[in-house]
Amino acid sequence: RKEVEQDPGPFNVPEGATVAFNCTYSNSASQSFFWYRQDCRKEPKLLMSVYSSGNEDGRFTAQLNRASQYISLLIRDSKLSDSATYLCVVNPRGSARQLTFGSGTQLTVLP
Amino acid sequence: EAGVAQSPRYKIIEKRQSVAFWCNPISGHATLYWYQQILGQGPKLLIQFQNNGVVDDSQLPKDRFSAERLKGVDSTLKIQPAKLEDSAVYLCASSRGQGNEKLFFGSGTQLSVL
């Protein structure tokens, strides 16, 4: 089983739609969770950290479910500019301080 | 604040040739990472430095890949000899400290091995 697994998509949604991505991780000792965004032919950039209590940043909401070992990203009121690949990032070995990236979920927001 | 600088931007070589990539992290960032990103996949960590010491190189193919971080600042990643499967984008990233902090990535070097 991969350490971090994501649905590759692609997700094609109309502008204004709500879309959600899930990411599962295999090691229950994982302590840190992030979502990165990667535009086509660009480098990844941090979108948001994921906290145990869940967190929200504008139209983006991230949640962590430790019992089921997954994190989620919800995007409300999708914009054309949200089109990108969303990478789930996990620290799979707890204190070992190594970040492992998922393969990414591709989102295309259509006009 | 200047970002992470990488060069070259693109490189095309034939298999069995050698290639080197250079990275200059953000000033003051102690931790430097080299990632390999194959098309359609997420970045895979090759090596992580804390200042000029290696923290993790467990996924670095040491028979052909080598990396160093001179004086805890700039870093070079070398492949010798290259194989077709090394075609990928090589991303350098830095962070202020070690571990669970925001990574800042450079634009990457796109390597094509023919």
Side-chain angles (χ1 to χ4, degrees):
Chain A
R1 182 182 172 186
K2 289 184 180 179
E3 288 181 315
V4 182
E5 290 200 73
Q6 293 184 251
D7 181 342
F11 284 67
N12 298 319
V13 303
E15 211 173 352
T18 295
V19 62
F21 311 132
N22 281 344
C23 166
T24 59
Y25 58 95
S26 61
N27 191 337
S28 59
S30 299
Q31 295 180 350
S32 303
F33 310 89
F34 309 88
W35 284 102
Y36 274 70
R37 170 192 169 129
Q38 186 170 27
D39 293 306
C40 188
R41 302 183 189 279
K42 298 287 188 180
E43 70 275 17
K45 292 184 179 179
L46 179 66
L47 178 65
M48 58 198 307
S49 302
V50 186
Y51 304 122
S52 296
S53 56
N55 47 305
E56 188 174 308
D57 182 3
R59 297 181 294 107
F60 297 83
T61 300
Q63 292 195 317
L64 167 64
N65 185 319
R66 285 193 182 275
S68 300
Q69 294 183 207
Y70 75 84
I71 65 172
S72 63
L73 177 68
L74 180 77
I75 306 176
R76 291 182 300 276
D77 189 22
S78 300
K79 311 292 185 189
L80 297 177
S81 56
D82 294 334
S83 296
T85 295
Y86 291 84
L87 299 162
C88 169
V89 184
V90 175
N91 154 267
R93 280 174 281 284
S95 61
R97 301 188 180 281
Q98 182 197 73
L99 296 179
T100 297
F101 284 73
S103 296
T105 298
Q106 185 179 339
L107 171 67
T108 301
V109 181
L110 304 169
Chain B
E1 176 180 70
V4 176
Q6 285 190 249
S7 68
R9 187 72 179 89
Y10 302 94
K11 190 73 177 179
I12 301 173
I13 62 172
E14 294 186 347
K15 60 183 179 183
R16 292 189 288 275
Q17 285 187 323
S18 302
V19 65
F21 313 126
W22 173 82
C23 173
N24 187 358
I26 292 173
S27 177
H29 279 196
T31 308
L32 184 148
Y33 313 76
W34 282 103
Y35 283 87
Q36 178 194 59
Q37 187 171 25
I38 293 172
L39 187 65
Q41 298 181 19
K44 182 183 94 171
L45 181 68
L46 293 175
I47 189 167
Q48 178 178 339
F49 293 95
Q50 175 77 6
N51 295 310
N52 60 353
V54 175
V55 172
D56 185 344
D57 64 356
S58 57
Q59 297 187 94
L60 186 73
K62 298 179 185 64
D63 58 333
R64 298 185 300 106
F65 286 65
S66 64
E68 60 181 2
R69 190 177 183 194
L70 303 174
K71 300 179 182 178
V73 183
D74 292 11
S75 177
T76 56
L77 176 69
K78 297 179 181 177
I79 308 175
Q80 181 179 8
K83 292 186 175 181
L84 298 177
E85 58 261 37
D86 297 333
S87 295
V89 176
Y90 291 84
L91 293 161
C92 178
S94 69
S95 66
R96 286 194 178 83
Q98 179 179 314
N100 314 323
E101 293 132 7
K102 180 177 179 178
L103 300 187
F104 294 82
F105 283 87
S107 299
T109 296
Q110 185 172 330
L111 173 67
S112 297
V113 182
L114 306 178

